[in-house]
């Protein structure tokens, strides 16, 4: 994902190494002097239970890192689709399993707002 910003409105302070497991960009809003961090991310679609488990694991890593910073913003293409969720629910029914965490559930349970 590319991040474009208005240098008249915010100042780029720092960014994580491009090889870091979670990419982060730190800014200061020039008018308010408030600092914030952006975590741009892309999750591969979770077309089945195995894929959704991988996505949740990847997102946990991002959210745990984001919670370490003041005013974190996660910008993410999560590739979430109700069609996939229904397929996963059918897999869970076949396994007689009720407990399962989806990406959208994780976002809310970790204290982030999905907008």
């Amino acid at each position: 994902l590319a991040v474009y910003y208005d240098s008249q409105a915010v100042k780029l302070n720092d960014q994580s190494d491009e090889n870091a497991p979670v990419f982060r960009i730190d800014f200061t809003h020039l008018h308010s002097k408030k600092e914030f961090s952006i975590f741009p991310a892309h999750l591969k679609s979770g077309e089945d239970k195995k894929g959704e488990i991988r996505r949740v694991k990847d997102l946990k890593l991002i959210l745990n890192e984001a919670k370490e910073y003041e005013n974190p913003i996660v910008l993410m293409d999560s590739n979430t689709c109700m069609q996939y969720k229904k397929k996963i629910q059918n897999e869970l029914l076949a396994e007689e399993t009720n407990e399962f965490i989806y990406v959208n559930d994780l976002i809310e349970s970790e204290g982030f707002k999905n907008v």
Side-chain angles (χ1 to χ4, degrees):
L1 296 174
V3 175
Y4 302 94
Y5 65 94
D6 181 350
S7 60
Q8 302 287 322
V10 296
K11 175 185 163 217
L12 174 64
N13 297 331
D14 195 14
Q15 68 183 48
S16 60
D17 181 72
E18 63 184 47
N19 296 319
V22 175
F23 187 65
R24 182 196 82 255
I25 310 168
D26 301 322
F27 292 97
T28 299
H29 183 256
L30 294 174
H31 179 70
S32 69
K33 305 298 184 215
K34 288 199 181 238
E35 295 183 355
F36 61 98
S37 298
I38 294 178
F39 298 82
H42 177 268
L43 296 179
K44 185 176 181 199
S45 61
E47 299 172 9
D48 55 19
K49 180 182 166 192
K50 182 179 175 183
E52 191 69 4
I53 289 169
R54 181 196 68 248
R55 290 160 37 83
V56 166
K57 180 181 172 190
D58 292 346
L59 182 57
K60 276 184 184 180
L61 186 68
I62 295 165
L63 296 180
N64 285 338
E65 175 87 9
K67 288 191 291 187
E68 298 293 320
Y69 291 84
E70 189 172 348
N71 304 317
I73 299 170
V74 178
L75 298 175
M76 178 174 57
D77 177 358
S78 67
N79 284 304
T80 302
C81 175
M82 284 307 296
Q83 178 183 349
Y84 298 148
K85 186 172 183 176
K86 288 177 185 175
K87 181 179 177 184
I88 294 167
Q89 287 171 335
N90 288 336
E91 287 180 62
L92 295 172
L93 282 173
E95 297 173 4
E96 298 181 1
T97 303
N98 289 336
E99 296 198 22
F100 191 78
I101 296 176
Y102 296 92
V103 163
N104 284 344
D105 299 331
L106 180 65
I107 292 167
E108 301 283 331
S109 71
E110 292 295 323
F112 288 82
K113 180 76 176 156
N114 190 359
V115 294

